[in-house]
Amino acid sequence: RRPTVSLGSADQIKAQASSHLMSLLPASTIRALGQKEYEKRKQAALEVEAHVRELRDAQQYEKINAIVKHLALELANSAQAHVRKGALHALSGTAIGLRQHAGQMLPQLLPPVLSALSDPDPRVRYTACEALYNIAKVARSSCVAHINEIFDGLFKLSADTDVQVQNGMQLLDRLMKDVVTESEAFDLAAFMPLLGERIYVSNPFSRQFLVGWISTLGSVPDLDLVAHLPVFLDGLFHMLADANREIRTQTFDALNQLLREIGEAEEVDYAPLFHVLVTHCSSRDKFTTLTSLSWLHPLISHAQALMLPFCAPVLNAVLSSLSHPEEELREAAARADTSLRALLHQSNAAQFEMGTVLHALAAHLSSAYVPTLLAALQWAPVAAPQGGREGGSSP
């Protein structure tokens, strides 16, 4: 339970703040940090900044650490929202006072600020955004080591219903994207599992937040986002069915960017990609189905013989879509069908299981839909000779 603090006198503030904190900062400064008026709290934060600067110049880092510790343990946990805001102002001022040394104290500075991002009071959450922005602006590249914690805090804020908090989050979000794209120390492999855990969120604002980060990471030449596609590709395709047109458009653009990167990549793990595409080819959402089918043609062309192990499920998805009532979807399926048939025809020496292909084909030879049936019949002479050479059986 948070200790209750009444604002109004130094004695009342002392009931909350330990004698140790009082010895580190003037009583008037501590009192002002808990005042209701914003200007008084900001002035107190400037006093903390000046005091920390003096301690920094004197290399008295133990005292600075003690100030941060007590601000975090005492003022930041107050039952009074104004005191909590004052603590955040003071922590921000501490980082500014530390300047180039702020990065070394991020393990102490960040936890109370990140915790405040979930505060029940929206004004405290906004102040936490402001404080984190100031800390990140000073510490900059040092924040990369704590990006997962910061990203998770931003993710939670992305669904905040308070307009002012949303505005603060977006400013902080842009800064953190800049920090990450500038850094050579960003560990994409350590970051991606967190993104994967959040990718199936349904909140539209959180979805926009995630798509924005995927697009940003994909724009960095030195980051191999393609290697981590299995972590989030399925979640992105789910977003294509979002009721919000803007989210669908942003997701589609991000997917197009990723498709271009796949075409330029030297190594791609195709198995999970084709699995995602085949799954979403049968989506109830037309836009999702169309996008999935549209991916198949370039992916087949790029993968070539590497996609042959997945030929059967891809063929099944394509043949089923050839009779879709939407012309655009039928055309996308036809392009994939043509490229797949050409690839199989050229792969006489390839080692793959033709039996599964023949099994998939057999299911469509009795189709009641004419386009699917005709395509299945065109497949028969392509697959049957292969099946004979590879030991497969005719349907």
Side-chain angles (χ1 to χ4, degrees):
R1 184 180 176 182
R2 285 174 172 163
T4 301
V5 178
S6 300
L7 306 178
S9 71
D11 289 338
Q12 290 172 317
I13 295 294
K14 286 179 185 178
Q16 176 191 359
S18 70
S19 57
H20 192 67
L21 179 57
M22 301 295 288
S23 70
L24 293 167
L25 292 172
S28 59
T29 300
I30 298 173
R31 181 173 63 247
L33 285 173
Q35 293 299 311
K36 184 176 181 180
E37 295 84 356
Y38 171 81
E39 291 302 327
K40 290 183 178 179
R41 295 197 307 271
K42 287 297 290 183
Q43 180 57 41
L46 290 173
E47 294 172 8
V48 172
E49 177 188 334
H51 186 57
V52 168
R53 191 182 304 116
E54 292 175 0
L55 293 173
R56 182 206 68 202
D57 292 341
Q59 297 188 358
Q60 296 184 358
Y61 295 107
E62 289 186 6
K63 287 188 177 181
I64 298 174
N65 190 63
I67 290 173
V68 172
K69 177 181 177 182
H70 288 283
L71 285 171
L73 294 178
E74 297 165 9
L75 300 191
N77 286 316
S78 170
Q80 302 293 324
H82 297 308
V83 179
R84 299 200 297 276
K85 286 186 277 188
L88 293 166
H89 290 314
L91 289 167
S92 173
T94 300
I96 296 171
L98 281 166
R99 292 188 181 175
Q100 70 271 24
H101 300 287
Q104 300 170 21
M105 289 205 66
L106 286 179
Q108 292 77 36
L109 287 167
L110 286 177
V113 178
L114 292 173
S115 177
L117 295 176
S118 301
D119 195 280
D121 190 314
R123 301 285 74 77
V124 176
R125 296 198 298 275
Y126 174 77
T127 305
C129 282
E130 183 183 58
L132 188 51
Y133 182 91
N134 290 331
I135 292 170
K137 192 110 177 174
V138 176
R140 203 120 186 138
S141 61
S142 297
C143 291
V144 172
H146 308 273
I147 189 61
N148 281 24
E149 299 95 317
I150 296 173
F151 176 86
D152 210 29
L154 284 168
F155 174 79
K156 293 171 184 174
L157 286 180
S158 66
D160 203 297
T161 56
D162 186 88
V163 175
Q164 191 176 17
V165 174
Q166 275 285 337
N167 291 338
M169 185 281 293
Q170 289 170 11
L171 285 173
L172 177 58
D173 184 47
R174 285 197 290 271
L175 173 61
M176 291 313 304
K177 285 174 181 171
D178 288 342
V179 168
V180 166
T181 55
E182 293 168 1
S183 173
E184 296 181 359
F186 176 63
D187 188 346
L188 183 63
F191 174 78
M192 292 311 298
L194 177 60
L195 180 66
E197 290 172 10
R198 304 289 180 260
I199 197 66
Y200 291 103
V201 66
S202 59
N203 182 278
F205 297 106
S206 297
R207 282 182 162 184
Q208 283 184 302
F209 169 78
L210 292 175
V211 173
W213 268 89
I214 290 169
S215 297
T216 296
L217 295 174
S219 68
V220 182
D222 294 335
L223 295 181
D224 184 10
L225 201 58
V226 170
H228 301 278
L229 268 176
V231 174
F232 64 88
L233 185 64
D234 182 58
L236 270 186
F237 269 91
H238 275 287
M239 291 185 193
L240 286 172
D242 195 280
N244 186 306
R245 183 181 180 87
E246 185 178 355
I247 294 174
R248 294 199 302 272
T249 301
Q250 290 177 352
T251 303
F252 182 73
D253 291 342
L255 284 168
N256 277 343
Q257 177 185 347
L258 289 167
L259 186 57
R260 288 192 295 270
E261 291 182 31
I262 291 172
E264 298 170 358
E266 294 182 3
E267 289 187 24
V268 179
D269 183 5
Y270 288 104
L273 306 192
F274 279 111
H275 176 73
V276 168
L277 295 179
V278 167
T279 299
H280 289 282
C281 277
S282 60
S283 171
R284 293 181 180 179
D285 179 72
K286 293 183 207 175
F287 189 45
T288 304
T289 303
L290 175 60
T291 306
S292 303
L293 287 169
S294 299
W295 267 54
L296 285 176
H297 171 65
L299 217 59
I300 291 169
S301 299
H302 187 260
Q304 291 293 303
L306 292 175
M307 73 81 51
L308 289 174
F310 324 111
C311 190
V314 172
L315 176 61
N316 184 57
V318 168
L319 291 177
S320 298
S321 300
L322 284 171
S323 296
H324 197 282
E326 295 285 337
E327 182 180 2
E328 197 174 10
L329 274 74
R330 293 198 302 271
E331 291 176 350
R335 287 192 296 272
D337 178 59
T338 300
S339 59
L340 186 60
R341 200 177 326 131
L343 175 63
L344 190 64
H345 187 71
Q346 299 165 4
S347 305
N348 295 335
Q351 297 299 314
F352 64 96
E353 180 52 61
M354 181 54 71
T356 57
V357 175
L358 293 171
H359 181 75
L361 185 60
H364 295 281
L365 286 171
S366 58
S367 175
Y369 298 99
V370 174
T372 295
L373 176 59
L374 290 176
L377 290 171
Q378 289 177 331
W379 262 93
V382 177
Q386 289 269 21
R389 278 192 291 271
E390 296 296 333
S393 58
S394 299

